[in-house]
Amino acid sequence: QKEVEQNSGPLSVPEGAIASLNCTYSDRGSQSFFWYRQYSGKSPELIMSIYSNGDKEDGRFTAQLNKASQYVSLLIRDSQPSDSATYLCAVRRTSYDKVIFGPGTSLSVIP
Amino acid sequence: SQTIHQWPATLVQPVGSPLSLECTVEGTSNPNLYWYRQAAGRGLQLLFYSVGIGQISSEVPQNLSASRPQDRQFILSSKKLLLSDSGFYLCAWANPAWGEKLFFGSGTQLSVL
């Protein structure tokens, strides 16, 4: 079982719709969770971080964490063509551990 | 403010040649430093992780090595490149007090021919 798993996509949504990106992780003791966005040929940039169960909102982005189900998601409201990118889920197990990435989900927002 | 410099941006090397990629961070002290590799269309594979000078954790057995000669300098090396070493190499830093949020360099696209 891979440590961090994501659907590879591509996920296509129409402009203005909600895009839902999902991620599962294998280590139940994981403590820190991140979503990064990566445009083609560019380096990843941090969108959201979440550390406790529940929802965390930042503008059009909402991260959701459910540690019991070992599941973290990212919702993008009012999707824009500029949101078209690959979204990487990342997990850190403990405060002294490294960050592990999932394979990423490609999102395409259709005008 | 903090910045991370990574060079070169692109590199074409023959099989069997050596490699040296350098990454430096400015504006912070005692960062955690990372080297990742990304194959075309794939996720980020962690190669090396460092929490301090001379402290390197190797995640994947291979012909690559890393060194941290100074607090904010991280170097990725190889004595003899393989075709399979081609990829997009990314250096990143994190402030341990900020919850290990990673900030990436601009990356090096390495093609081994």
Side-chain angles (χ1 to χ4, degrees), chain A residues 49-77:
Chain A
S49 59
I50 187 167
Y51 305 99
S52 56
N53 281 330
D55 294 359
K56 179 181 178 182
E57 186 175 322
D58 184 0
R60 296 187 295 112
F61 299 98
T62 299
Q64 300 174 317
L65 175 61
N66 183 326
K67 289 186 177 181
S69 300
Q70 296 174 238
Y71 174 91
V72 58
S73 65
L74 179 71
L75 301 178
I76 306 175
R77 292 182 299 281

Side-chain angles (χ1 to χ4, degrees), chain A residues 5-14 16-24 35 55 60-65 71-80 83 85-89 104-109:
Chain A
E5 299 197 58
Q6 299 178 252
N7 292 328
S8 60
L11 173 65
S12 294
V13 300
I18 297 175
S20 178
L21 304 160
N22 304 318
C23 172
T24 59
W35 283 100
D55 294 359
R60 296 187 295 112
F61 299 98
T62 299
Q64 300 174 317
L65 175 61
Y71 174 91
V72 58
S73 65
L74 179 71
L75 301 178
I76 306 175
R77 292 182 299 281
D78 189 24
S79 295
Q80 301 296 309
D83 295 325
T86 295
Y87 289 80
L88 301 164
C89 174
T105 297
S106 174
L107 172 66
S108 179
V109 180

Side-chain angles (χ1 to χ4, degrees), chain A residues 97-99, chain B residues 3-5 22-26 28-36 46-57 59 66-75 90-96 100-103 105:
Chain A
D97 210 346
K98 53 199 176 289
V99 178
Chain B
T3 56
I4 179 170
H5 302 280
E22 188 165 343
C23 172
T24 59
V25 182
E26 296 178 357
T28 188
S29 298
N30 303 315
N32 290 342
L33 296 173
Y34 294 76
W35 278 111
Y36 289 92
L46 179 61
L47 301 177
F48 299 97
Y49 170 58
S50 173
V51 297
I53 295 175
Q55 300 179 60
I56 310 291
S57 171
E59 298 300 316
S67 62
R68 186 171 176 173
Q70 301 180 42
D71 180 47
R72 292 169 291 174
Q73 183 184 28
F74 207 22
I75 298 172
L90 289 157
C91 180
W93 73 273
N95 184 328
E100 208 70 1
K101 298 173 185 177
L102 295 179
F103 300 91

